[in-house]
Amino acid sequence: MKGGRYHNLWGSSKLHFLKTLLNTDRATVVICSDIITAEITVNEATLFFPDKKILYFPEYSQEPFEKIRVLPDITSARVDTLDNLDSSQNCLIVSTPYGLLKKLPSRSVFRSAIKEINIGQELSRDDLLQYFDISGFINVEVVNAPGEFTIRGDKLDIFPINYEYPLRIEFFDNIVECINIYNPETQRTIERISYARVLPATEAITTTKVLKAKVSHLKHIHDEIKLFGKFAGFHWYMPAVYDRFNTLFDFIESEYNIVLCGDNILDAVKK
């Protein structure tokens, strides 16, 4: 794909024209000027690029350091994109300048937060609780939303962000006996599976203990973690935890194309 500026392209003609330019065996990052343009681009890309995996890397809906939990849909889309980039480079990633600005953990840290569970596997309660803490899952009474879990006796209910429905995992002592996908409203089993792959429920991959130690110089934040654990918005303080950060582009192993798309996109990038 050669560099250049192209004007007077309206509606879906942008994606149609882009298809004629792209080197199809490379990953392509389409940076849109705003959320609306990005969402339209994702929808149109599925039509014009049927042979490519279309990935959406949305921006956060809150301002920096705002103490609001990241919406599960946003976390799910971002984490799913990072996971797919680890296994496939034949893709088209759509994002915005703000969506790309948020720094990410290294690929090795991200991979370490992916949990594979098989029937017959040995998993201790302590190991599971540590994994949930590292990977950003929230302990609740009843699981209803992605990113939640609860343990009751020999049963673990968990709602991975990469599943449409939650999982119910039953144990015999520390051995996984069965894994069921179930409906949280009726509590009835939808499907019995033999394997589950659980993605982290956050990009801010760390333990509460490490986070608390790393922000000890910020007394008000340290005290908040001491009282509430990983409070809503804790992810903004991850620069204090990681020695090294990555960007989305670090997750792309091969050469890639960059496309700027939308009105005033250059102004948006400069901001």
Side-chain angles (χ1 to χ4, degrees), residues 5 7 31-33 97 260-271:
R5 294 187 183 184
H7 304 278
I31 307 174
C32 298
S33 55
L260 304 181
C261 179
D263 297 332
N264 304 316
I265 179 59
L266 293 180
D267 292 336
V269 170
K270 289 175 183 178
K271 290 180 181 179

Side-chain angles (χ1 to χ4, degrees), residues 2-271:
K2 297 181 179 180
R5 294 187 183 184
Y6 305 93
H7 304 278
N8 300 321
L9 297 172
W10 296 91
S12 58
S13 65
K14 296 176 184 177
L15 271 294
H16 182 267
F17 183 66
L18 181 61
K19 183 175 176 62
T20 66
L21 297 177
L22 286 181
N23 182 343
T24 55
D25 59 359
R26 288 185 182 182
T28 299
V29 182
V30 180
I31 307 174
C32 298
S33 55
D34 54 74
I35 296 174
I36 294 175
T37 303
E39 291 177 346
I40 292 173
T41 300
V42 169
N43 291 332
E44 293 177 346
T46 57
L47 173 64
F48 289 105
F49 297 93
D51 298 328
K52 277 187 175 287
K53 186 180 287 291
I54 310 302
L55 304 172
Y56 184 33
F57 200 67
E59 63 183 56
Y60 281 21
S61 58
Q62 63 266 90
E63 297 297 320
F65 297 99
E66 192 174 3
K67 292 181 180 179
I68 298 177
R69 184 185 175 192
V70 181
L71 295 176
D73 287 349
I74 291 177
T75 299
S76 177
R78 288 175 66 91
V79 169
D80 182 65
T81 294
L82 298 181
D83 181 48
N84 273 282
L85 286 176
D86 214 29
S87 59
S88 173
Q89 300 293 310
N90 184 26
C91 56
L92 188 145
I93 308 117
V94 181
S95 190
T96 63
Y98 186 46
L100 295 173
L101 278 176
K102 188 77 167 61
K103 294 298 181 67
L104 305 168
S106 67
R107 293 181 66 180
S108 61
V109 169
F110 179 78
R111 286 172 180 162
S112 72
I114 298 174
K115 191 76 170 177
E116 296 183 338
I117 303 174
N118 296 277
I119 290 179
Q121 182 178 350
E122 183 174 356
L123 286 173
S124 72
R125 182 187 179 97
D126 289 342
D127 288 344
L128 284 170
L129 290 175
Q130 183 180 29
Y131 170 73
F132 294 143
D133 182 32
I134 291 172
S135 302
F137 284 87
I138 299 172
N139 194 353
V140 295
E141 289 293 327
V142 179
V143 169
N144 285 305
E148 297 179 345
F149 82 95
T150 187
I151 299 178
R152 297 190 305 273
D154 59 357
K155 292 182 180 180
L156 161 66
D157 289 352
I158 178 174
F159 202 147
I161 63 173
N162 53 314
Y163 281 78
E164 185 178 358
Y165 292 98
L167 309 178
R168 177 161 291 153
I169 303 172
E170 297 184 22
F171 292 83
F172 179 76
D173 195 11
N174 287 336
I175 305 299
V176 177
E177 196 169 41
C178 69
I179 307 172
N180 295 323
I181 300 174
Y182 73 95
N183 187 319
E185 295 183 1
T186 65
Q187 296 294 305
R188 292 184 176 180
T189 298
I190 297 173
E191 181 184 358
R192 177 164 290 190
I193 57 178
S194 59
Y195 165 82
R197 187 169 183 272
V198 180
L199 297 183
T202 180
E203 298 168 25
I205 299 167
T206 188
T207 64
T208 303
K209 183 179 180 180
V210 169
L211 177 64
K212 186 166 61 174
K214 292 290 187 178
V215 298
S216 59
H217 59 293
L218 303 172
K219 188 178 185 305
H220 64 295
I221 299 301
H222 182 269
D223 292 344
E224 195 160 358
I225 296 171
K226 192 174 180 180
L227 288 172
F228 305 109
K230 290 181 179 178
F231 60 89
F234 82 91
H235 56 88
W236 296 113
Y237 297 91
M238 292 306 290
V241 176
Y242 295 142
D243 295 327
R244 178 175 173 271
F245 273 98
N246 279 179
T247 66
L248 174 76
F249 300 101
D250 294 308
F251 280 75
I252 305 175
E253 292 185 332
S254 58
E255 293 183 339
Y256 53 84
N257 302 310
I258 296 179
V259 177
L260 304 181
C261 179
D263 297 332
N264 304 316
I265 179 59
L266 293 180
D267 292 336
V269 170
K270 289 175 183 178
K271 290 180 181 179

